[in-house]
Amino acid sequence: MAGTKTFFIIKPGAVSHEYIGPILAKINANGFHIAALKLIQLDRYHAEHFYAVHHEKPFFESLVTFMTSGPVVVGILEKENAVADYRKLMGATDPAKAEEGTIRKLFAENIERNAVHGSDSDENAEIECNFFFSKSERYSKFED
Ligand code: ATP
Ligand code: MG
């Protein structure tokens, strides 16, 4: 059975353009419960660790520089089928290929500065939520 939570980031760019409010409104309008939320500055260590799976890619250095260029919002979203439903709401990685009405179509600047992150599996959602939030920092509708 699909899990009920996912981890998300509102990336620099979207934060500096004052899109936090509009993006959170879209998330709520699509039936997600916000179970945890904070505005933080990622340091190089955490950004490299978070995107470690991409460390061999040609865009890795640029991606880490971008992700540490200003504050980000990190949070936990809850809903039945959270991972897949939130990835659908985000839209394609490249906003030029994203469907109308998706967050990336509305708020992304380009394939790198693409407004938001969302976990790609229940397993990674668990790892990413635990990377940024302790249990006492969450207000869950699904868990104790
Ligand atoms: P995310 O993991 O941030 O939710 P995603 O799963 O849609 O995005 P990934 O393939 O995991 O896409 O890439 C991670 C991030 O790396 C992208 O969101 C984007 O910021 C950046 N990225 C991906 N592909 C490219 C590329 N070809 N050029 C520049 N940046 C890229
Ligand atoms: Mg990804």
Side-chain angles (χ1 to χ4, degrees), residues 11-13 40-51 60-72 112-113:
K11 299 183 181 183
I40 59 168
Q41 171 72 49
L42 283 180
D43 60 23
R44 212 178 158 79
Y45 171 82
H46 286 88
E48 284 179 353
H49 190 273
F50 186 77
Y51 277 125
F60 181 71
E61 191 52 42
S62 175
L63 177 61
V64 169
T65 299
F66 165 56
M67 290 300 291
T68 55
S69 67
V72 298
E112 178 177 88
R113 302 175 66 87

Side-chain angles (χ1 to χ4, degrees), residues 51 54 87 117-118 120:
Y51 277 125
H54 296 302
R87 284 190 74 85
H117 160 80
D120 59 11

Side-chain angles (χ1 to χ4, degrees), residues 124-139:
N124 282 336
E126 188 68 38
I127 291 167
E128 292 170 3
C129 289
N130 292 337
F131 189 62
F132 286 100
F133 293 99
S134 65
K135 298 286 179 196
S136 65
E137 290 177 302
R138 306 175 191 192
Y139 169 59

Side-chain angles (χ1 to χ4, degrees), residues 3 8 28 44-45 99 131 142:
F8 80 107
N28 280 145
R44 212 178 158 79
Y45 171 82
E99 279 183 43
F131 189 62
F142 289 88

